[in-house]
Amino acid sequence: MISKKQVFFLVLSCLLVNGVDAKTKKSKKAQEVKQPTCSNEKDCTNMKKPCQCYCSVKCGYRKKMKSDRPVYVENDPTGINCWCKEWDKKNYKNNECDLEQAE
């Protein structure tokens, strides 16, 4: 049979482990610095420029990835201008991102 001391230490150990895990998750989120959106063609198409392009898979902006081929659209009617790929521009309405942005 388990004594009260053993139960206490078991509960305390579980709480400590969960607390450390929660702190680790928070610190990872704090390390993720949100980049600005790409505001011009030069920044959009330059893969080394730390700015975000629009991704129609997630219906939002994200950091550029190695597989991206950013496309800049001057006077874009959606107001997005910098798309991560041509695919994102073509599938903006198919993925109903236009409805999400309207909310």
Side-chain angles (χ1 to χ4, degrees):
M1 192 154 155
I2 299 176
S3 71
K4 288 182 181 181
K5 278 186 178 182
Q6 289 173 322
V7 171
F8 174 76
F9 285 115
L10 181 63
V11 171
L12 184 62
S13 298
C14 290
L15 290 173
L16 287 173
V17 168
N18 286 334
V20 169
D21 186 42
K23 283 184 179 182
T24 304
K25 287 179 183 177
K26 285 180 186 177
S27 64
K28 283 182 183 177
K29 283 187 177 183
Q31 289 174 358
E32 293 176 19
V33 177
K34 187 173 180 181
Q35 297 173 344
T37 58
C38 302
S39 59
N40 58 51
E41 184 173 9
K42 185 179 177 182
D43 291 348
C44 178
T45 57
N46 182 354
M47 292 300 288
K48 293 181 181 178
K49 181 70 178 181
C51 59
Q52 296 185 341
C53 53
Y54 192 88
C55 173
S56 292
V57 173
K58 74 176 255 181
C59 291
Y61 289 91
R62 66 163 170 76
K63 288 170 52 172
K64 292 182 258 184
M65 302 167 85
K66 288 182 181 181
S67 61
D68 289 339
R69 297 285 180 256
V71 176
Y72 186 80
V73 179
E74 188 75 34
N75 300 318
D76 189 353
T78 63
I80 292 171
N81 298 86
C82 186
W83 302 84
C84 295
K85 298 177 185 178
E86 185 68 34
W87 183 95
D88 294 302
K89 185 177 176 298
K90 289 180 181 176
N91 289 282
Y92 177 70
K93 286 189 178 185
N94 292 345
N95 288 0
E96 299 181 349
C97 295
D98 56 335
L99 300 177
E100 284 189 31
Q101 262 197 319
E103 293 175 352

